[in-house]
């Protein structure tokens, strides 16, 4: 239930954060955004304000800037924190791991200490299915339940798991703290308005942003990273979730945290997968995009990408049962919305580079 208090959204200028800020305002919450803009544009926050006819307080602040963050908590009475801010590129994390540990882990610690100082109780964390690693190393773990043993395989994945553990320890020691861990599967698509969407810097790592850039003529062809996996067409299986459904999952998690209390001197801590529960192969996604847009995607099959796993599909029951949340939108909806965003903003939030 929205209250008079504020929701701090770290990383709220980013892809998932900006869509969540929009849903928060629509549901009557009052978000405040903190973002250092290392991978995003303030324009996203401005556009969310435009779409919702509201002015969203924005601070260009790094999470590790203790004084800067303190000033935000001093000015706004914050009841809940949605923590999206962090570095997220798997490949890059293997090259500059210390940057990843510093931004993701140190940033979270500064944030938690500031919350403690101001008695802020609710914390929702953007974790990832990447914490499971290759779930096919176990019998019967596809679709992946939250109980699946973790085993991330990159520095990025390690930071996510370490933060989960830090949050577990912090909640065990603080009866005021309530933590929701949200393990996202593969977010795709954009807001149906076409005004906000994913704006990757440089060459996109992820499948759908790459496909969209091929479709719009920014890149020549899609490379398919391997067609010799154990799946119906040989390409890996992922659980693609529309970013608007994912954003709404955060409101469901906040409602859950509002309804629970800590027990036996401890706070509250729980993990939920956010996925659809359905897997799609790379070819299925490309075909869905072609069908939704009418654009043919030139492609070539190349070798496997290092670190890819065959199947990441969520078991989504826990979120259905406990958060009363489930996805409503389809892959076709996501492709259509991505296409609107891409054609109306072919260079993202910025202009075409010289
Ligand atoms: P994004 O890069 O678009 O958003 C992250 C935002 O955090 C950016 O706006 C960036 O400028 C900001 N940021 C980074 N480090 C910061 C710092 N130290 N201080 C302040 N701001 C900082 O990424 P996204 O796709 O929106 O992802 C949001 C969160 O969800 C991330 O934590 C990511 O790891 C997680 N996640 C994303 C995916 C995905 O596929 N996009 C999947 C699983 C988990
Ligand atoms: C990647 C990350 C994962 C992260 C997720 C969401 C890796 C190894 N994993 O996952 O940790 O949580 O993004 O941000 O980077 N594909 C192609 N051609 C392309 C791009 C992708 O064939 O140009 C294929 C990939 O091989 C994969 C599928 O498309 O099978 C999805 O890829 P991607 O969007 O990068 O997501 P993940 O690999 O699931």
């Amino acid at each position: 239930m929205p209250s008079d208090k504020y929701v701090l959204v770290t990383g709220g200028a980013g892809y998932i954060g900006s869509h969540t800020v929009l849903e928060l305002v629509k549901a009557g919450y009052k978000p405040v955004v903190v973002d250092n803009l290392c991978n995003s544009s303030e324009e996203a926050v401005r556009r969310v304000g435009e779409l919702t006819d509201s002015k969203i307080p924005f601070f260009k602040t790094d999470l590790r800037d203790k004084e800067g963050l303190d000033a935000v908590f001093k000015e706004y009475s914050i009841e809940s924190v949605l923590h999206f801010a962090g570095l997220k590129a798997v490949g890059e994390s293997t090259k500059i791991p210390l940057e990843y540990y510093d931004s993701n882990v140190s940033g979270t610690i500064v944030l938690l200490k500031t919350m403690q100082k101001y008695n802020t109780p609710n914390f929702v964390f953007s974790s990832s299915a990447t914490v499971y690693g290759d779930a096919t190393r176990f019998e019967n773990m596809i679709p992946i339940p939250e109980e699946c043993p973790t085993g991330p395989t990159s520095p990025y994945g390690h930071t996510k798991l370490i933060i989960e553990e830090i949050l577990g320890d912090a909640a065990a020691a603080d009866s005021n703290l309530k933590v929701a861990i949200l393990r996202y599967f593969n977010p795709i698509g954009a807001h149906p308005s076409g005004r906000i969407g994913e704006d990757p810097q440089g060459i996109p790592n992820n499948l759908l942003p790459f496909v969209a850039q091929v479709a719009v003529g920014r890149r020549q062809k899609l490379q398919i990273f391997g067609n010799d996996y154990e799946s119906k067409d040989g390409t890996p299986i992922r659980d693609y979730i529309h970013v608007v459904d994912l954003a709404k999952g955060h409101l469901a998690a906040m409602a859950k945290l509002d309804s629970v209390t800590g027990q036996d001197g401890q706070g509250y801590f729980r993990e939920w997968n956010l996925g659809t529960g359905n897997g799609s192969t790379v070819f299925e996604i490309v075909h869905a995009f072609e069908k939704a847009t009418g654009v043919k995607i030139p492609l070539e099959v190349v070798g496997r990408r290092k670190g890819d796993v065959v199947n990441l599909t969520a078991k989504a029951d826990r979120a259905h049962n406990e958060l009363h949340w489930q996805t409503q939108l389809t892959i076709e909806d996501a492709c259509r919305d991505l296409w609107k965003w891409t054609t109306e903003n072919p260079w993202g939030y910025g202009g075409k580079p010289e």
Side-chain angles (χ1 to χ4, degrees):
M1 181 72 76
S3 75
D4 274 353
K5 296 194 171 175
Y6 285 84
V7 179
L8 174 65
V9 185
T10 77
Y15 173 44
I16 307 167
S18 57
H19 287 80
T20 307
V21 172
L22 176 51
E23 295 305 321
L24 285 170
V25 180
K26 276 170 59 186
Y29 288 96
K30 295 196 292 188
V32 179
V33 172
V34 166
D35 198 304
N36 68 2
L37 301 181
C38 71
N39 194 39
S40 54
S41 162
E42 192 179 341
E43 175 65 6
V45 183
R46 197 195 65 74
R47 290 192 187 182
V48 173
E50 194 182 86
L51 286 168
T52 53
D53 202 14
S54 63
K55 174 97 186 77
I56 294 149
F58 173 77
F59 294 84
K60 182 174 184 290
T61 303
D62 191 289
L63 278 188
R64 292 158 292 181
D65 169 4
K66 214 170 134 195
E67 285 76 35
L69 199 59
D70 195 275
V72 177
F73 276 78
K74 198 173 268 169
E75 186 174 347
Y76 294 90
S77 177
I78 291 167
E79 184 163 50
S80 302
V81 173
L82 304 186
H83 180 33
F84 296 95
L87 304 176
K88 64 158 185 178
V90 174
E92 183 185 65
S93 79
T94 64
K95 306 215 163 60
I96 49 168
L98 298 183
E99 281 305 312
Y100 272 67
Y101 283 104
D102 193 26
S103 188
N104 294 5
V105 181
S106 309
T108 305
I109 291 174
V110 174
L111 179 59
L112 282 168
K113 284 189 167 177
T114 312
M115 286 175 65
Q116 203 171 36
K117 177 173 169 192
Y118 287 89
N119 281 318
T120 299
N122 299 338
F123 193 93
V124 179
F125 176 55
S126 301
S127 191
S128 167
T130 203
V131 298
Y132 297 117
D134 182 3
T136 58
R137 69 192 188 281
F138 304 108
E139 294 273 308
N140 300 324
M141 283 291 177
I142 302 285
I144 307 174
E146 288 81 353
E147 296 81 10
C148 178
T150 51
T153 55
S154 70
Y156 164 69
H158 290 142
T159 68
K160 289 290 167 190
L161 187 57
I162 289 167
I163 294 168
E164 289 195 9
E165 286 166 350
I166 290 171
L167 288 166
D169 289 342
D174 180 356
S175 59
N176 187 46
L177 182 61
K178 298 189 274 184
V179 175
I181 302 288
L182 302 182
R183 294 177 176 157
Y184 310 157
F185 281 67
N186 286 53
I188 56 168
H191 190 261
S193 64
R195 295 295 290 155
I196 57 170
E198 187 169 11
D199 183 14
Q201 314 292 305
I203 302 171
N205 295 309
N206 296 119
L207 178 61
L208 267 162
F210 200 102
V211 169
Q213 290 195 3
V214 172
V216 85
R218 260 175 90 170
R219 315 213 172 261
Q220 276 191 334
K221 63 182 164 193
L222 172 71
Q223 295 190 323
I224 304 273
F225 298 142
N227 63 352
D228 56 351
Y229 288 90
E230 255 185 65
S231 71
K232 58 182 152 187
D233 59 26
T235 61
I237 301 162
R238 295 289 180 272
D239 186 335
Y240 296 93
I241 170 172
H242 195 299
V243 65
V244 172
D245 277 334
L246 183 66
K248 289 179 178 168
H250 294 76
L251 277 69
M254 281 173 57
K256 177 70 181 176
L257 292 185
D258 269 339
S259 75
V260 295
T261 46
Q263 276 181 348
D264 305 326
Q266 302 203 338
Y268 178 86
F269 177 91
R270 186 97 168 132
E271 311 89 345
W272 291 278
N273 285 339
L274 293 187
T276 66
N278 298 311
S280 308
T281 67
V282 177
F283 282 132
E284 283 173 335
I285 288 291
V286 173
H287 293 147
F289 185 90
E290 289 179 334
K291 197 168 156 220
T293 62
V295 182
K296 186 104 186 96
I297 303 295
L299 50 85
E300 67 171 332
V301 176
V302 296
R304 289 184 176 196
R305 179 172 69 177
K306 195 166 165 272
D308 274 351
V309 299
V310 58
N311 194 334
L312 276 177
T313 303
K315 189 166 194 313
D317 309 35
R318 190 188 278 186
H320 294 177
N321 296 336
E322 298 180 9
L323 303 182
H324 312 297
W325 165 89
Q326 62 184 45
T327 57
Q328 291 169 327
L329 300 166
T330 62
I331 286 169
E332 287 69 27
D333 293 328
C335 290
R336 183 202 59 219
D337 297 338
L338 170 64
W339 188 230
K340 183 169 168 69
W341 156 251
T342 311
T343 49
E344 293 178 9
N345 308 267
W347 299 94
Y349 291 111
K352 184 174 178 175
E354 295 300 319

